[in-house]
Amino acid sequence: LGRNRWQRGASEAAIALLTQALDLTAARRTDPIAARLHELLSQIHEQQGRVAEALHHVREFLACQQRIHGQDTQRRVRALLGRADLERAQQHAENERRRGDELATALDAARESERQKQALLAQLSQQSDMLRQLAREDGLTGLSNRRGFMMLAQHSLQLCTRQNIPAALVFIDLDHLKQVNDQLGHAEGDRVLVTF
């Protein structure tokens, strides 16, 4: 509703609705929704010439994005730890099968091995998804790399076309980054990029 009001020229009504929605997200810690709300509020304030408010909402948008990225990283770590646990469990099942002399024990171990194989296949599928995501992200900044950008751009353009929303693309160039690298070293240049 807030976006629609803004697009119809009712900026103040849009700000009120979006701020109200933002207050609701604060209680529920829903960072993806809060990020979108901050992004819309920054656009409206920028359009109205309120640079300080726009900057505040851009910073909040980036903070939400960082939290989302941190949650994704935690999920990846849990997946890797789960894989290690699965491998340990698989090794244990293998040892039990070797020690077992009776047919019933061997059959039980074979069933366990099959179950673990299925769990491992599911884990490998998750890891494959994680690797696909890592292939779309820049290792230094965590932002989308070219592949990720192209996928996002294509999706965004399709969405804008379907919803008849104007689209814009902004390119940013950091001036004098080569001088920072030459004078202070590439590690400092990397810190500048990450900070920016």
Side-chain angles (χ1 to χ4, degrees):
L1 287 173
R3 184 179 65 229
N4 289 341
R5 294 241 173 107
W6 174 43
Q7 290 173 342
R8 290 191 178 113
S11 297
E12 295 305 318
I15 289 171
L17 280 170
L18 293 171
T19 302
Q20 183 182 7
L22 194 56
D23 291 341
L24 292 172
T25 64
R28 291 176 179 82
R29 307 270 312 154
T30 51
D31 285 328
I33 296 170
R36 181 66 181 130
L37 293 168
H38 282 298
E39 184 179 36
L40 284 169
L41 284 164
S42 72
Q43 292 169 357
I44 295 170
H45 283 298
E46 182 180 1
Q47 183 185 47
Q48 297 295 314
R50 300 176 189 141
V51 177
E53 290 89 348
L55 180 59
H56 165 74
H57 287 290
V58 166
R59 285 181 178 150
E60 291 298 322
F61 168 78
L62 292 174
C64 289
Q65 293 295 85
Q66 280 184 325
R67 284 192 298 274
I68 292 167
H69 182 69
Q71 292 165 358
D72 288 343
T73 301
Q74 288 175 359
R75 279 191 289 272
R76 284 186 226 137
V77 167
R78 283 194 298 272
L80 289 173
L81 291 173
R83 184 175 119 212
D85 289 342
L86 179 63
E87 290 172 357
R88 283 192 296 274
Q90 193 174 22
Q91 184 63 40
H92 177 72
E94 185 67 25
N95 291 339
E96 288 299 315
R97 188 170 56 245
R98 285 184 193 145
R99 280 188 253 136
D101 292 337
E102 297 190 18
L103 185 58
T105 304
L107 181 59
D108 288 343
R111 287 179 182 158
E112 178 64 16
S113 179
E114 179 61 27
R115 185 193 65 76
Q116 289 177 358
K117 178 180 141 187
Q118 294 302 321
L120 181 59
L121 288 172
Q123 186 69 30
L124 289 174
S125 175
Q126 290 175 342
Q127 290 173 353
S128 176
D129 291 344
M130 182 181 70
L131 289 174
R132 273 193 290 279
Q133 180 180 355
L134 291 173
R136 294 187 308 253
E137 288 182 0
D138 174 66
L140 177 65
T141 62
L143 299 173
S144 293
N145 61 15
R146 181 178 178 165
R147 178 182 294 143
F149 168 77
M150 294 305 287
M151 291 172 64
L152 180 62
Q154 182 181 14
H155 173 74
S156 296
L157 286 175
Q158 288 172 351
L159 180 66
C160 289
T161 301
R162 274 196 313 267
Q163 295 185 2
N164 197 24
I165 298 171
L169 178 64
V170 177
F171 285 92
I172 298 174
D173 183 31
L174 295 180
D175 291 337
H176 312 294
L177 186 60
K178 182 179 182 335
Q179 290 175 352
V180 171
N181 284 335
D182 290 344
Q183 293 174 3
L184 302 174
H186 286 275
E188 187 62 32
D190 287 351
R191 279 193 287 279
V192 168
L193 285 174
V194 170
T195 302
F196 181 80

PDB file of all heavy atoms in Angstrom, residues 120-152:
ATOM      1  N   LEU A 120      22.779 -38.643   3.331  1.00  0.00           N
ATOM      2  CA  LEU A 120      23.964 -38.045   2.716  1.00  0.00           C
ATOM      3  C   LEU A 120      23.617 -37.419   1.367  1.00  0.00           C
ATOM      4  O   LEU A 120      24.082 -36.331   1.045  1.00  0.00           O
ATOM      5  CB  LEU A 120      25.074 -39.090   2.560  1.00  0.00           C
ATOM      6  CG  LEU A 120      26.388 -38.606   1.951  1.00  0.00           C
ATOM      7  CD1 LEU A 120      26.987 -37.474   2.791  1.00  0.00           C
ATOM      8  CD2 LEU A 120      27.375 -39.751   1.822  1.00  0.00           C
ATOM      9  N   LEU A 121      22.769 -38.115   0.589  1.00  0.00           N
ATOM     10  CA  LEU A 121      22.330 -37.546  -0.688  1.00  0.00           C
ATOM     11  C   LEU A 121      21.573 -36.233  -0.478  1.00  0.00           C
ATOM     12  O   LEU A 121      21.760 -35.270  -1.221  1.00  0.00           O
ATOM     13  CB  LEU A 121      21.462 -38.548  -1.453  1.00  0.00           C
ATOM     14  CG  LEU A 121      22.198 -39.739  -2.055  1.00  0.00           C
ATOM     15  CD1 LEU A 121      21.206 -40.742  -2.621  1.00  0.00           C
ATOM     16  CD2 LEU A 121      23.183 -39.277  -3.115  1.00  0.00           C
ATOM     17  N   ALA A 122      20.756 -36.207   0.556  1.00  0.00           N
ATOM     18  CA  ALA A 122      20.038 -34.960   0.872  1.00  0.00           C
ATOM     19  C   ALA A 122      21.030 -33.878   1.291  1.00  0.00           C
ATOM     20  O   ALA A 122      20.915 -32.720   0.885  1.00  0.00           O
ATOM     21  CB  ALA A 122      19.014 -35.204   1.971  1.00  0.00           C
ATOM     22  N   GLN A 123      22.016 -34.250   2.088  1.00  0.00           N
ATOM     23  CA  GLN A 123      23.050 -33.299   2.527  1.00  0.00           C
ATOM     24  C   GLN A 123      23.851 -32.786   1.333  1.00  0.00           C
ATOM     25  O   GLN A 123      24.151 -31.598   1.230  1.00  0.00           O
ATOM     26  CB  GLN A 123      23.974 -33.979   3.541  1.00  0.00           C
ATOM     27  CG  GLN A 123      24.996 -33.067   4.166  1.00  0.00           C
ATOM     28  CD  GLN A 123      24.347 -32.062   5.092  1.00  0.00           C
ATOM     29  OE1 GLN A 123      23.320 -32.331   5.686  1.00  0.00           O
ATOM     30  NE2 GLN A 123      24.910 -30.900   5.196  1.00  0.00           N
ATOM     31  N   LEU A 124      24.209 -33.695   0.425  1.00  0.00           N
ATOM     32  CA  LEU A 124      24.964 -33.291  -0.770  1.00  0.00           C
ATOM     33  C   LEU A 124      24.142 -32.342  -1.637  1.00  0.00           C
ATOM     34  O   LEU A 124      24.681 -31.407  -2.231  1.00  0.00           O
ATOM     35  CB  LEU A 124      25.387 -34.525  -1.579  1.00  0.00           C
ATOM     36  CG  LEU A 124      26.485 -35.374  -0.949  1.00  0.00           C
ATOM     37  CD1 LEU A 124      26.698 -36.637  -1.761  1.00  0.00           C
ATOM     38  CD2 LEU A 124      27.776 -34.587  -0.826  1.00  0.00           C
ATOM     39  N   SER A 125      22.857 -32.585  -1.684  1.00  0.00           N
ATOM     40  CA  SER A 125      21.983 -31.685  -2.435  1.00  0.00           C
ATOM     41  C   SER A 125      21.997 -30.285  -1.812  1.00  0.00           C
ATOM     42  O   SER A 125      22.082 -29.281  -2.515  1.00  0.00           O
ATOM     43  CB  SER A 125      20.566 -32.243  -2.457  1.00  0.00           C
ATOM     44  OG  SER A 125      19.691 -31.344  -3.075  1.00  0.00           O
ATOM     45  N   GLN A 126      21.942 -30.234  -0.474  1.00  0.00           N
ATOM     46  CA  GLN A 126      22.011 -28.934   0.206  1.00  0.00           C
ATOM     47  C   GLN A 126      23.348 -28.257  -0.045  1.00  0.00           C
ATOM     48  O   GLN A 126      23.415 -27.046  -0.289  1.00  0.00           O
ATOM     49  CB  GLN A 126      21.807 -29.111   1.713  1.00  0.00           C
ATOM     50  CG  GLN A 126      20.409 -29.493   2.107  1.00  0.00           C
ATOM     51  CD  GLN A 126      20.295 -29.771   3.602  1.00  0.00           C
ATOM     52  OE1 GLN A 126      21.289 -29.992   4.286  1.00  0.00           O
ATOM     53  NE2 GLN A 126      19.070 -29.784   4.106  1.00  0.00           N
ATOM     54  N   GLN A 127      24.417 -29.024   0.002  1.00  0.00           N
ATOM     55  CA  GLN A 127      25.744 -28.455  -0.226  1.00  0.00           C
ATOM     56  C   GLN A 127      25.885 -27.970  -1.661  1.00  0.00           C
ATOM     57  O   GLN A 127      26.523 -26.943  -1.923  1.00  0.00           O
ATOM     58  CB  GLN A 127      26.831 -29.468   0.105  1.00  0.00           C
ATOM     59  CG  GLN A 127      26.941 -29.744   1.585  1.00  0.00           C
ATOM     60  CD  GLN A 127      27.893 -30.874   1.888  1.00  0.00           C
ATOM     61  OE1 GLN A 127      28.378 -31.534   0.986  1.00  0.00           O
ATOM     62  NE2 GLN A 127      28.155 -31.087   3.156  1.00  0.00           N
ATOM     63  N   SER A 128      25.290 -28.682  -2.583  1.00  0.00           N
ATOM     64  CA  SER A 128      25.315 -28.255  -3.982  1.00  0.00           C
ATOM     65  C   SER A 128      24.615 -26.905  -4.120  1.00  0.00           C
ATOM     66  O   SER A 128      25.104 -26.006  -4.814  1.00  0.00           O
ATOM     67  CB  SER A 128      24.626 -29.311  -4.851  1.00  0.00           C
ATOM     68  OG  SER A 128      24.557 -28.884  -6.179  1.00  0.00           O
ATOM     69  N   ASP A 129      23.474 -26.755  -3.425  1.00  0.00           N
ATOM     70  CA  ASP A 129      22.774 -25.456  -3.421  1.00  0.00           C
ATOM     71  C   ASP A 129      23.668 -24.366  -2.833  1.00  0.00           C
ATOM     72  O   ASP A 129      23.728 -23.239  -3.338  1.00  0.00           O
ATOM     73  CB  ASP A 129      21.473 -25.544  -2.622  1.00  0.00           C
ATOM     74  CG  ASP A 129      20.435 -26.414  -3.302  1.00  0.00           C
ATOM     75  OD1 ASP A 129      20.582 -26.706  -4.503  1.00  0.00           O
ATOM     76  OD2 ASP A 129      19.468 -26.799  -2.622  1.00  0.00           O
ATOM     77  N   MET A 130      24.375 -24.704  -1.735  1.00  0.00           N
ATOM     78  CA  MET A 130      25.260 -23.737  -1.096  1.00  0.00           C
ATOM     79  C   MET A 130      26.399 -23.352  -2.044  1.00  0.00           C
ATOM     80  O   MET A 130      26.748 -22.176  -2.169  1.00  0.00           O
ATOM     81  CB  MET A 130      25.831 -24.315   0.197  1.00  0.00           C
ATOM     82  CG  MET A 130      26.742 -23.335   0.939  1.00  0.00           C
ATOM     83  SD  MET A 130      27.436 -24.052   2.437  1.00  0.00           S
ATOM     84  CE  MET A 130      28.549 -25.247   1.741  1.00  0.00           C
ATOM     85  N   LEU A 131      26.970 -24.329  -2.744  1.00  0.00           N
ATOM     86  CA  LEU A 131      28.052 -24.032  -3.686  1.00  0.00           C
ATOM     87  C   LEU A 131      27.561 -23.158  -4.838  1.00  0.00           C
ATOM     88  O   LEU A 131      28.273 -22.266  -5.299  1.00  0.00           O
ATOM     89  CB  LEU A 131      28.668 -25.328  -4.221  1.00  0.00           C
ATOM     90  CG  LEU A 131      29.507 -26.107  -3.211  1.00  0.00           C
ATOM     91  CD1 LEU A 131      29.935 -27.440  -3.794  1.00  0.00           C
ATOM     92  CD2 LEU A 131      30.713 -25.301  -2.761  1.00  0.00           C
ATOM     93  N   ARG A 132      26.335 -23.404  -5.293  1.00  0.00           N
ATOM     94  CA  ARG A 132      25.774 -22.544  -6.346  1.00  0.00           C
ATOM     95  C   ARG A 132      25.660 -21.107  -5.840  1.00  0.00           C
ATOM     96  O   ARG A 132      25.956 -20.157  -6.557  1.00  0.00           O
ATOM     97  CB  ARG A 132      24.410 -23.065  -6.783  1.00  0.00           C
ATOM     98  CG  ARG A 132      24.484 -24.118  -7.873  1.00  0.00           C
ATOM     99  CD  ARG A 132      23.122 -24.369  -8.503  1.00  0.00           C
ATOM    100  NE  ARG A 132      22.200 -25.043  -7.622  1.00  0.00           N
ATOM    101  CZ  ARG A 132      22.169 -26.344  -7.407  1.00  0.00           C
ATOM    102  NH1 ARG A 132      23.019 -27.112  -8.024  1.00  0.00           N
ATOM    103  NH2 ARG A 132      21.294 -26.869  -6.593  1.00  0.00           N
ATOM    104  N   GLN A 133      25.266 -20.948  -4.578  1.00  0.00           N
ATOM    105  CA  GLN A 133      25.169 -19.595  -4.024  1.00  0.00           C
ATOM    106  C   GLN A 133      26.551 -18.960  -3.918  1.00  0.00           C
ATOM    107  O   GLN A 133      26.733 -17.797  -4.258  1.00  0.00           O
ATOM    108  CB  GLN A 133      24.495 -19.621  -2.656  1.00  0.00           C
ATOM    109  CG  GLN A 133      24.383 -18.231  -2.040  1.00  0.00           C
ATOM    110  CD  GLN A 133      23.703 -18.265  -0.686  1.00  0.00           C
ATOM    111  OE1 GLN A 133      23.242 -19.293  -0.241  1.00  0.00           O
ATOM    112  NE2 GLN A 133      23.643 -17.126  -0.032  1.00  0.00           N
ATOM    113  N   LEU A 134      27.522 -19.743  -3.438  1.00  0.00           N
ATOM    114  CA  LEU A 134      28.875 -19.213  -3.312  1.00  0.00           C
ATOM    115  C   LEU A 134      29.445 -18.827  -4.675  1.00  0.00           C
ATOM    116  O   LEU A 134      30.239 -17.885  -4.773  1.00  0.00           O
ATOM    117  CB  LEU A 134      29.783 -20.230  -2.627  1.00  0.00           C
ATOM    118  CG  LEU A 134      29.488 -20.474  -1.138  1.00  0.00           C
ATOM    119  CD1 LEU A 134      30.339 -21.613  -0.617  1.00  0.00           C
ATOM    120  CD2 LEU A 134      29.700 -19.220  -0.318  1.00  0.00           C
ATOM    121  N   ALA A 135      29.026 -19.530  -5.729  1.00  0.00           N
ATOM    122  CA  ALA A 135      29.497 -19.209  -7.076  1.00  0.00           C
ATOM    123  C   ALA A 135      28.920 -17.896  -7.566  1.00  0.00           C
ATOM    124  O   ALA A 135      29.428 -17.311  -8.524  1.00  0.00           O
ATOM    125  CB  ALA A 135      29.122 -20.333  -8.051  1.00  0.00           C
ATOM    126  N   ARG A 136      27.879 -17.391  -6.912  1.00  0.00           N
ATOM    127  CA  ARG A 136      27.272 -16.127  -7.323  1.00  0.00           C
ATOM    128  C   ARG A 136      27.690 -14.950  -6.453  1.00  0.00           C
ATOM    129  O   ARG A 136      27.261 -13.836  -6.678  1.00  0.00           O
ATOM    130  CB  ARG A 136      25.746 -16.260  -7.276  1.00  0.00           C
ATOM    131  CG  ARG A 136      25.183 -17.242  -8.282  1.00  0.00           C
ATOM    132  CD  ARG A 136      23.670 -17.228  -8.324  1.00  0.00           C
ATOM    133  NE  ARG A 136      23.052 -17.390  -7.033  1.00  0.00           N
ATOM    134  CZ  ARG A 136      22.431 -18.479  -6.615  1.00  0.00           C
ATOM    135  NH1 ARG A 136      22.364 -19.527  -7.390  1.00  0.00           N
ATOM    136  NH2 ARG A 136      21.871 -18.524  -5.432  1.00  0.00           N
ATOM    137  N   GLU A 137      28.540 -15.214  -5.436  1.00  0.00           N
ATOM    138  CA  GLU A 137      28.929 -14.150  -4.516  1.00  0.00           C
ATOM    139  C   GLU A 137      30.413 -13.845  -4.627  1.00  0.00           C
ATOM    140  O   GLU A 137      31.225 -14.740  -4.833  1.00  0.00           O
ATOM    141  CB  GLU A 137      28.650 -14.558  -3.071  1.00  0.00           C
ATOM    142  CG  GLU A 137      27.207 -14.582  -2.712  1.00  0.00           C
ATOM    143  CD  GLU A 137      26.984 -14.960  -1.250  1.00  0.00           C
ATOM    144  OE1 GLU A 137      27.968 -15.192  -0.534  1.00  0.00           O
ATOM    145  OE2 GLU A 137      25.829 -15.004  -0.847  1.00  0.00           O
ATOM    146  N   ASP A 138      30.757 -12.580  -4.454  1.00  0.00           N
ATOM    147  CA  ASP A 138      32.155 -12.162  -4.393  1.00  0.00           C
ATOM    148  C   ASP A 138      32.702 -12.549  -3.024  1.00  0.00           C
ATOM    149  O   ASP A 138      32.096 -12.248  -1.996  1.00  0.00           O
ATOM    150  CB  ASP A 138      32.243 -10.639  -4.600  1.00  0.00           C
ATOM    151  CG  ASP A 138      33.646 -10.125  -4.403  1.00  0.00           C
ATOM    152  OD1 ASP A 138      34.538 -10.469  -5.195  1.00  0.00           O
ATOM    153  OD2 ASP A 138      33.858  -9.391  -3.421  1.00  0.00           O
ATOM    154  N   GLY A 139      33.849 -13.229  -3.010  1.00  0.00           N
ATOM    155  CA  GLY A 139      34.415 -13.715  -1.765  1.00  0.00           C
ATOM    156  C   GLY A 139      34.855 -12.608  -0.826  1.00  0.00           C
ATOM    157  O   GLY A 139      34.861 -12.782   0.388  1.00  0.00           O
ATOM    158  N   LEU A 140      35.241 -11.457  -1.359  1.00  0.00           N
ATOM    159  CA  LEU A 140      35.738 -10.363  -0.515  1.00  0.00           C
ATOM    160  C   LEU A 140      34.592  -9.600   0.135  1.00  0.00           C
ATOM    161  O   LEU A 140      34.565  -9.408   1.340  1.00  0.00           O
ATOM    162  CB  LEU A 140      36.606  -9.405  -1.355  1.00  0.00           C
ATOM    163  CG  LEU A 140      37.140  -8.176  -0.628  1.00  0.00           C
ATOM    164  CD1 LEU A 140      38.113  -8.594   0.481  1.00  0.00           C
ATOM    165  CD2 LEU A 140      37.836  -7.252  -1.623  1.00  0.00           C
ATOM    166  N   THR A 141      33.618  -9.153  -0.667  1.00  0.00           N
ATOM    167  CA  THR A 141      32.571  -8.261  -0.153  1.00  0.00           C
ATOM    168  C   THR A 141      31.277  -8.970   0.213  1.00  0.00           C
ATOM    169  O   THR A 141      30.461  -8.417   0.932  1.00  0.00           O
ATOM    170  CB  THR A 141      32.242  -7.180  -1.199  1.00  0.00           C
ATOM    171  OG1 THR A 141      31.728  -7.835  -2.376  1.00  0.00           O
ATOM    172  CG2 THR A 141      33.465  -6.351  -1.542  1.00  0.00           C
ATOM    173  N   GLY A 142      31.092 -10.198  -0.302  1.00  0.00           N
ATOM    174  CA  GLY A 142      29.838 -10.894  -0.056  1.00  0.00           C
ATOM    175  C   GLY A 142      28.718 -10.419  -0.961  1.00  0.00           C
ATOM    176  O   GLY A 142      27.593 -10.887  -0.881  1.00  0.00           O
ATOM    177  N   LEU A 143      29.024  -9.484  -1.866  1.00  0.00           N
ATOM    178  CA  LEU A 143      28.025  -8.998  -2.811  1.00  0.00           C
ATOM    179  C   LEU A 143      27.943  -9.947  -4.002  1.00  0.00           C
ATOM    180  O   LEU A 143      28.793 -10.802  -4.194  1.00  0.00           O
ATOM    181  CB  LEU A 143      28.402  -7.595  -3.303  1.00  0.00           C
ATOM    182  CG  LEU A 143      28.492  -6.514  -2.233  1.00  0.00           C
ATOM    183  CD1 LEU A 143      29.033  -5.226  -2.821  1.00  0.00           C
ATOM    184  CD2 LEU A 143      27.138  -6.278  -1.606  1.00  0.00           C
ATOM    185  N   SER A 144      26.927  -9.760  -4.819  1.00  0.00           N
ATOM    186  CA  SER A 144      26.795 -10.591  -6.009  1.00  0.00           C
ATOM    187  C   SER A 144      27.963 -10.346  -6.952  1.00  0.00           C
ATOM    188  O   SER A 144      28.374  -9.205  -7.163  1.00  0.00           O
ATOM    189  CB  SER A 144      25.493 -10.262  -6.750  1.00  0.00           C
ATOM    190  OG  SER A 144      24.387 -10.648  -5.986  1.00  0.00           O
ATOM    191  N   ASN A 145      28.482 -11.440  -7.524  1.00  0.00           N
ATOM    192  CA  ASN A 145      29.484 -11.292  -8.567  1.00  0.00           C
ATOM    193  C   ASN A 145      28.745 -11.111  -9.895  1.00  0.00           C
ATOM    194  O   ASN A 145      27.521 -10.937  -9.913  1.00  0.00           O
ATOM    195  CB  ASN A 145      30.443 -12.492  -8.581  1.00  0.00           C
ATOM    196  CG  ASN A 145      29.745 -13.803  -8.858  1.00  0.00           C
ATOM    197  OD1 ASN A 145      28.595 -13.836  -9.312  1.00  0.00           O
ATOM    198  ND2 ASN A 145      30.431 -14.884  -8.582  1.00  0.00           N
ATOM    199  N   ARG A 146      29.470 -11.179 -10.998  1.00  0.00           N
ATOM    200  CA  ARG A 146      28.836 -10.928 -12.292  1.00  0.00           C
ATOM    201  C   ARG A 146      27.705 -11.923 -12.546  1.00  0.00           C
ATOM    202  O   ARG A 146      26.630 -11.552 -12.982  1.00  0.00           O
ATOM    203  CB  ARG A 146      29.874 -11.006 -13.411  1.00  0.00           C
ATOM    204  CG  ARG A 146      29.258 -10.729 -14.774  1.00  0.00           C
ATOM    205  CD  ARG A 146      30.287 -10.764 -15.856  1.00  0.00           C
ATOM    206  NE  ARG A 146      29.625 -10.539 -17.129  1.00  0.00           N
ATOM    207  CZ  ARG A 146      30.239 -10.228 -18.222  1.00  0.00           C
ATOM    208  NH1 ARG A 146      31.538 -10.078 -18.226  1.00  0.00           N
ATOM    209  NH2 ARG A 146      29.577 -10.061 -19.347  1.00  0.00           N
ATOM    210  N   ARG A 147      27.952 -13.204 -12.271  1.00  0.00           N
ATOM    211  CA  ARG A 147      26.917 -14.218 -12.500  1.00  0.00           C
ATOM    212  C   ARG A 147      25.695 -13.913 -11.644  1.00  0.00           C
ATOM    213  O   ARG A 147      24.562 -13.942 -12.124  1.00  0.00           O
ATOM    214  CB  ARG A 147      27.461 -15.592 -12.173  1.00  0.00           C
ATOM    215  CG  ARG A 147      26.416 -16.694 -12.350  1.00  0.00           C
ATOM    216  CD  ARG A 147      26.962 -18.067 -11.982  1.00  0.00           C
ATOM    217  NE  ARG A 147      27.989 -18.426 -12.915  1.00  0.00           N
ATOM    218  CZ  ARG A 147      29.094 -19.084 -12.590  1.00  0.00           C
ATOM    219  NH1 ARG A 147      29.291 -19.457 -11.347  1.00  0.00           N
ATOM    220  NH2 ARG A 147      29.994 -19.394 -13.484  1.00  0.00           N
ATOM    221  N   GLY A 148      25.916 -13.617 -10.378  1.00  0.00           N
ATOM    222  CA  GLY A 148      24.806 -13.300  -9.494  1.00  0.00           C
ATOM    223  C   GLY A 148      24.075 -12.045  -9.927  1.00  0.00           C
ATOM    224  O   GLY A 148      22.845 -11.972  -9.875  1.00  0.00           O
ATOM    225  N   PHE A 149      24.834 -11.036 -10.374  1.00  0.00           N
ATOM    226  CA  PHE A 149      24.228  -9.793 -10.837  1.00  0.00           C
ATOM    227  C   PHE A 149      23.353 -10.053 -12.056  1.00  0.00           C
ATOM    228  O   PHE A 149      22.233  -9.554 -12.148  1.00  0.00           O
ATOM    229  CB  PHE A 149      25.307  -8.758 -11.182  1.00  0.00           C
ATOM    230  CG  PHE A 149      24.745  -7.585 -11.939  1.00  0.00           C
ATOM    231  CD1 PHE A 149      24.024  -6.598 -11.287  1.00  0.00           C
ATOM    232  CD2 PHE A 149      24.913  -7.484 -13.308  1.00  0.00           C
ATOM    233  CE1 PHE A 149      23.496  -5.534 -11.969  1.00  0.00           C
ATOM    234  CE2 PHE A 149      24.378  -6.426 -14.001  1.00  0.00           C
ATOM    235  CZ  PHE A 149      23.668  -5.452 -13.339  1.00  0.00           C
ATOM    236  N   MET A 150      23.853 -10.838 -13.003  1.00  0.00           N
ATOM    237  CA  MET A 150      23.090 -11.093 -14.229  1.00  0.00           C
ATOM    238  C   MET A 150      21.777 -11.819 -13.898  1.00  0.00           C
ATOM    239  O   MET A 150      20.738 -11.501 -14.463  1.00  0.00           O
ATOM    240  CB  MET A 150      23.922 -11.908 -15.221  1.00  0.00           C
ATOM    241  CG  MET A 150      25.142 -11.159 -15.757  1.00  0.00           C
ATOM    242  SD  MET A 150      24.738  -9.561 -16.511  1.00  0.00           S
ATOM    243  CE  MET A 150      23.975 -10.116 -18.021  1.00  0.00           C
ATOM    244  N   MET A 151      21.831 -12.759 -12.953  1.00  0.00           N
ATOM    245  CA  MET A 151      20.618 -13.464 -12.567  1.00  0.00           C
ATOM    246  C   MET A 151      19.634 -12.516 -11.883  1.00  0.00           C
ATOM    247  O   MET A 151      18.436 -12.530 -12.181  1.00  0.00           O
ATOM    248  CB  MET A 151      20.971 -14.635 -11.649  1.00  0.00           C
ATOM    249  CG  MET A 151      21.717 -15.752 -12.357  1.00  0.00           C
ATOM    250  SD  MET A 151      22.339 -17.021 -11.216  1.00  0.00           S
ATOM    251  CE  MET A 151      20.803 -17.653 -10.569  1.00  0.00           C
ATOM    252  N   LEU A 152      20.153 -11.688 -10.981  1.00  0.00           N
ATOM    253  CA  LEU A 152      19.308 -10.736 -10.272  1.00  0.00           C
ATOM    254  C   LEU A 152      18.724  -9.699 -11.233  1.00  0.00           C
ATOM    255  O   LEU A 152      17.542  -9.361 -11.153  1.00  0.00           O
ATOM    256  CB  LEU A 152      20.111 -10.043  -9.160  1.00  0.00           C
ATOM    257  CG  LEU A 152      19.369  -9.017  -8.320  1.00  0.00           C
ATOM    258  CD1 LEU A 152      18.220  -9.676  -7.568  1.00  0.00           C
ATOM    259  CD2 LEU A 152      20.322  -8.359  -7.341  1.00  0.00           C
TER     260      LEU A 152
END
